[in-house]
Amino acid sequence: MRILFLIYLLVLPTLLFSQAKVNNKSNLDMNGVHRGLNDTIKAKKKVARIDQYRYITLERDTTYVDTSLTIQKEYSHNYLRKDNFGLLPFSNIGQTYNTLQYSLTDFTPYPEMGFKAKHFNFLEANQVQYYSVATPLTELFFKSTINKGQLLNSFITLNMSERFNISAEYKGLRSEGNYINQLSSTGNFKLTASYSTKKGQYYINGHYTYQDILNEENGGITTAEDFESGDPDFKNRQRLEVYLTDAKSFLKGKRLFFDHAYRINETQGNNNLYVTHQFNYENKFFEYNQPTVLSAVLGSRNVLRFGESYVTSNINDQSHYNKMYNKAGVVYENILLGKFQFFVDDFRSNSYYGRVIILDKGKIIPSSLNQEINSFGGQYEYQKNKWNGRFLYSRSITNQSLSNLEAKLKHDFSDKIKFSFEYQNINKLPNNNYSLYQSSFVEYNWSESFKNEKINSLSASATTPWVNMSFQYSVLNDHLYFEDKSTALQANQGTQIIKPAQYSGAINYLEVKAGKEFKFGRFALDNTILYQKVDQADAILNVPEIVTRNTLYYTNYLFKKALFFQTGIVFNYFTSYYGNDYNPVIGEFFVQNKKEIGNYPNLDFFINARIRQTRIFFKIEHFNSSFSGSNYYSAPNNPYRDLAIRFGLTWNFFQ
């Protein structure tokens, strides 16, 4: 990763100045007052409009570069670079997140590698954006972390010609954290390219990613009463004992992806015929390393945190995963009727461990799990006036049974009033780590044959000047999850045994979310509230009933409107519930019903400013931690972060 980053830094200056300029006097004049999406980038003789700086998704949805400073920019100035409402971060930057809002979970019918707790910062193929810009665009991002370290993100995109764009991006993090053995070190490198011919007869979007996520794993604190006591001796979090002092987990992945289409007819007309193809090759690797097997608790008692092991030291569990996906189709487009697509795809994956394990009872844990799945399907797209719809159905034609039915419909009454409806019926194969896992810990070896998960989900959303609302109702059948199988004796000794399980009953999930901002002159109150209700015979899917975020802030200009600033307080709260716990051996969360978390207010103070294209952020996180009690957790035995003073900036350059 360091070599790739060095190459990126060396190549960046060359790319930055390689885009041809129509006029060498067309340097940008970005002087002016605070503006939003309607900003115009002015040159002395030419004008590059804001809609000439486009961000394009895989599904061809388009947004534009935005250098304004709004309250949404405050919410998204974080490690994930997006609004993380509904996610509860762990104490250190770069660790995992507990999911408060269940609807944030995405589903695909194909089996994935698993280790989902390690994937919050892992950029998936459908999350990659492509670009088209009038002049080279660069963005630099910085934010301080917890104790030693920093979070950096650098990005550049430019058009080599009107129809050929390339981009490069690297995000790197190193954060020490407050607790013993809590270091995070991650890197995300991305290259993209997009090209289309002059008449649009052929286009291609492609990207390459290399990502690595390293976390020291301490297994949580051993004595919650020391943390909650308020004893000044334990304000230094290094004095709190943890279960693991030298363990770490590591996820890395490489991906090559491209999506392209060719129009059979040379010029676009009322009727068009396309041939499409999509290719995705991905390689992933997960490792859990624990040199010391015995954990010392209370300075003397030894604990086997994850039970007996086949080795006495230097545990090094490794899981490898390869995936290759091909999708080929034919699209008929009619200017009045829309687009009709028919496709076939081929999915091949392999999870392997390099050894066969024979358990005491004679059960064999194989060395690999291979999947070969072929599917066929159709898709219809309609876009006219203010209506936009997409309907998709696919089904496997090989022995594995899977299917996916999706329907999406959007209607824009105006720029400020928009409605959308979605329905999904998915028959999903289990992720590979549910079916097969191997470890040096005796109890962490399994080979299972679970039923497919069946998920029915209906959702709707409305964006209006009065309120933003969303609704989702889901029915889950044969739901897969991880559970704690420790005996009472093992639990008392501090041992944690986690196994995969499948729930035979039905789970009904309801979500209603509302957002509204009230403005009073220079003051504003931004509110987001989430209500969730789960109907189930057993406590399997656990979420807080209420999650809320309320921000009171003030905005104004200074220095003859050369500086725009905002300052305020963010209030975060969720009701108490049995939050899922985290297990580092399998990189997953598991269901527990012993300790509730939540029912604790979290207050942040911020001051942000914008000067031309530079946005500056200053924040005091969780400033009430010193006077409102020490009962704040991200998961059982994993406290939420203490008071932290952090600052950062986002800087856009237009050449």
Side-chain angles (χ1 to χ4, degrees):
M1 176 58 74
R2 292 187 178 92
I3 295 175
L4 286 173
F5 187 45
L6 178 60
I7 295 173
Y8 172 60
L9 290 177
L10 292 174
V11 172
L12 187 146
T14 304
L15 295 177
L16 186 62
F17 298 105
S18 64
Q19 182 161 336
K21 297 182 179 180
V22 176
N23 189 324
N24 58 12
K25 294 185 179 181
S26 61
N27 296 324
L28 296 173
D29 179 10
M30 293 302 294
N31 291 318
V33 298
H34 167 75
R35 298 184 179 93
L37 283 175
N38 294 322
D39 283 358
T40 300
I41 301 168
K42 297 182 179 180
K44 293 182 179 180
K45 291 188 177 181
K46 292 186 177 294
V47 175
R49 302 184 311 276
I50 197 66
D51 60 5
Q52 292 179 295
Y53 295 82
R54 296 178 291 164
Y55 294 2
I56 306 166
T57 68
L58 184 62
E59 294 185 351
R60 315 297 289 176
D61 294 329
T62 301
T63 56
Y64 307 109
V65 64
D66 181 9
T67 63
S68 64
L69 179 61
T70 64
I71 193 62
Q72 298 301 322
K73 294 298 175 67
E74 158 63 25
Y75 297 151
S76 62
H77 191 78
N78 54 44
Y79 174 58
L80 297 181
R81 304 295 310 274
K82 65 179 182 181
D83 187 351
N84 59 8
F85 179 85
L87 296 177
L88 181 61
F90 272 40
S91 175
N92 195 17
I93 314 300
Q95 288 185 289
T96 188
Y97 294 77
N98 215 333
T99 302
L100 302 177
Q101 182 180 347
Y102 180 72
S103 63
L104 297 178
T105 307
D106 291 327
F107 297 103
T108 173
Y110 296 102
E112 299 176 291
M113 181 188 190
F115 309 101
K116 299 302 289 183
K118 298 287 294 181
H119 279 75
F120 284 94
N121 183 50
F122 197 91
L123 191 65
E124 303 294 348
N126 61 355
Q127 297 172 327
V128 174
Q129 292 183 319
Y130 305 91
Y131 310 93
S132 177
V133 292
T135 61
L137 170 65
T138 304
E139 181 176 279
L140 299 179
F141 171 98
F142 166 81
K143 192 167 187 178
S144 58
T145 58
I146 307 298
N147 283 336
K148 298 177 182 178
Q150 59 278 322
L151 171 61
L152 299 170
N153 194 158
S154 59
F155 162 76
I156 180 173
T157 180
L158 65 153
N159 273 49
M160 306 297 288
S161 67
E162 184 179 355
R163 299 177 304 279
F164 178 38
N165 175 274
I166 60 175
S167 77
E169 183 173 6
Y170 178 79
K171 180 171 73 172
L173 165 76
R174 186 175 180 85
S175 181
E176 185 181 39
N178 285 327
Y179 293 79
I180 296 172
N181 199 46
Q182 203 184 45
L183 175 74
S184 295
S185 178
T186 69
N188 304 76
F189 179 72
K190 179 186 70 174
L191 289 172
T192 74
S194 58
Y195 171 77
S196 64
T197 56
K198 187 174 183 179
K199 296 182 179 180
Q201 190 172 8
Y202 175 79
Y203 79 85
I204 182 170
N205 292 321
H207 72 257
Y208 169 81
T209 59
Y210 182 93
Q211 306 177 77
D212 60 76
I213 300 169
L214 171 68
N215 296 108
E216 291 181 343
E217 305 282 6
N218 61 28
I221 58 177
T222 62
T223 51
E225 56 271 20
D226 289 341
F227 170 73
E228 297 176 11
S229 67
D231 188 336
D233 290 341
F234 295 108
K235 292 300 180 181
N236 180 354
R237 300 310 188 190
Q238 294 285 323
R239 294 180 177 177
L240 289 169
E241 284 190 339
V242 296
Y243 283 102
L244 310 171
T245 58
D246 57 4
K248 62 183 179 181
S249 64
F250 181 60
L251 173 70
K252 73 174 181 179
K254 294 179 286 185
R255 179 173 59 245
L256 177 64
F257 175 93
F258 59 82
D259 177 77
H260 57 148
Y262 178 76
R263 189 178 64 233
I264 302 299
N265 44 308
E266 184 176 351
T267 58
Q268 188 171 14
N270 293 333
N271 296 278
N272 305 288
L273 185 64
Y274 298 86
V275 178
T276 65
H277 176 234
Q278 187 178 106
F279 173 82
N280 185 350
Y281 177 78
E282 193 161 24
N283 174 278
K284 290 183 180 181
F285 168 79
F286 176 78
E287 177 183 77
Y288 176 75
N289 183 274
Q290 186 180 326
T292 305
V293 175
L294 284 174
S295 301
V297 179
L298 297 177
S300 58
R301 182 166 62 92
N302 290 326
V303 171
L304 291 170
R305 181 58 172 163
F306 305 115
E308 298 288 341
S309 62
Y310 293 114
V311 296
T312 58
S313 63
N314 294 321
I315 286 177
N316 190 31
D317 297 338
Q318 296 183 353
S319 177
H320 299 262
Y321 174 80
N322 294 319
K323 178 184 79 173
M324 185 170 69
Y325 176 77
N326 278 282
K327 177 182 177 181
V330 176
V331 179
Y332 168 70
E333 178 186 36
N334 180 275
I335 196 69
L336 295 177
L337 301 179
K339 293 182 180 180
F340 301 84
Q341 180 181 14
F342 302 94
F343 61 85
V344 293
D345 61 21
D346 178 79
F347 176 93
R348 299 169 186 262
S349 70
N350 181 27
S351 288
Y352 59 97
Y353 294 86
R355 63 185 178 184
V356 175
I357 296 178
I358 302 176
L359 302 180
D360 292 338
K361 297 181 181 180
K363 185 174 182 178
I364 298 176
I365 309 298
S367 62
S368 63
L369 175 64
N370 299 310
Q371 304 269 12
E372 295 185 9
I373 305 169
N374 296 116
S375 302
F376 75 97
Q379 178 174 296
Y380 171 66
E381 292 183 50
Y382 179 83
Q383 183 173 359
K384 190 173 183 180
N385 297 329
K386 298 180 179 181
W387 290 95
N388 190 330
R390 185 170 73 90
F391 308 90
L392 178 146
Y393 177 75
S394 65
R395 187 176 185 85
S396 62
I397 54 177
T398 45
N399 293 331
Q400 300 92 334
S401 175
L402 61 85
S403 62
N404 185 28
L405 172 64
E406 291 183 25
K408 298 182 180 180
L409 184 64
K410 298 180 181 179
H411 181 65
D412 297 345
F413 286 94
S414 66
D415 292 339
K416 296 183 178 181
I417 302 178
K418 301 178 181 181
F419 291 89
S420 68
F421 305 90
E422 294 187 19
Y423 173 75
Q424 184 178 38
N425 185 327
I426 189 170
N427 185 3
K428 171 182 167 48
L429 285 169
N431 287 343
N432 289 353
N433 64 336
Y434 283 103
S435 303
L436 176 66
Y437 188 72
Q438 289 189 10
S439 173
S440 295
F441 293 107
V442 176
E443 296 291 342
Y444 285 77
N445 292 277
W446 56 76
S447 177
E448 304 288 350
S449 296
F450 290 112
K451 298 179 182 178
N452 282 15
E453 294 184 272
K454 292 88 176 176
I455 304 159
N456 268 287
S457 181
L458 176 66
S459 63
S461 66
T463 302
T464 72
W466 310 283
V467 66
N468 296 330
M469 292 282 296
S470 66
F471 157 89
Q472 179 169 317
Y473 179 72
S474 299
V475 180
L476 315 177
N477 287 286
D478 298 317
H479 176 66
L480 283 166
Y481 62 101
F482 288 94
E483 64 176 346
D484 190 348
K485 299 293 290 184
S486 308
T487 64
L489 178 60
Q490 288 173 326
N492 289 333
Q493 293 175 342
T495 298
Q496 189 181 91
I497 306 299
I498 307 303
K499 301 278 189 179
Q502 188 159 44
Y503 186 58
S504 58
I507 300 175
N508 295 273
Y509 169 79
L510 173 66
E511 168 194 310
V512 179
K513 183 178 178 182
K516 172 63 178 176
E517 183 178 60
F518 300 94
K519 293 187 176 181
F520 314 95
R522 292 290 182 183
F523 289 90
L525 178 63
D526 184 67
N527 305 280
T528 302
I529 185 168
L530 170 71
Y531 171 77
Q532 300 175 108
K533 187 69 174 178
V534 182
D535 182 18
Q536 55 190 348
D538 303 289
I540 303 300
L541 178 60
N542 300 320
V543 293
E545 187 173 7
I546 300 292
V547 182
T548 184
R549 179 181 64 196
N550 310 92
T551 304
L552 178 64
Y553 67 102
Y554 172 82
T555 61
N556 209 337
Y557 295 94
L558 292 175
F559 308 116
K560 298 181 179 180
K561 294 191 175 182
L563 181 147
F564 174 81
F565 78 96
Q566 56 182 200
T567 182
I569 294 177
V570 182
F571 170 82
N572 287 285
Y573 174 84
F574 61 91
T575 53
S576 59
Y577 79 111
Y578 289 104
N580 289 347
D581 206 348
Y582 171 67
N583 182 278
V585 177
I586 58 174
E588 294 276 6
F589 283 92
F590 64 92
V591 175
Q592 62 87 29
N593 57 5
K594 298 177 182 178
K595 183 179 178 65
E596 289 189 335
I597 63 173
N599 193 28
Y600 179 88
N602 185 343
L603 297 173
D604 300 332
F605 170 78
F606 67 89
I607 301 176
N608 304 328
R610 176 186 185 266
I611 306 172
R612 300 176 71 182
Q613 294 81 249
T614 304
R615 285 155 286 171
I616 303 169
F617 299 84
F618 175 83
K619 192 170 189 177
I620 304 177
E621 297 182 348
H622 198 188
F623 68 81
N624 61 308
S625 63
S626 60
F627 57 82
S628 55
S630 298
N631 191 29
Y632 41 90
Y633 289 88
S634 298
N637 301 319
N638 286 275
Y640 182 73
R641 68 184 57 144
D642 299 313
L643 181 148
I645 298 176
R646 303 178 63 197
F647 62 92
L649 61 85
T650 303
W651 196 352
N652 291 104
F653 299 89
F654 298 86
Q655 297 298 322

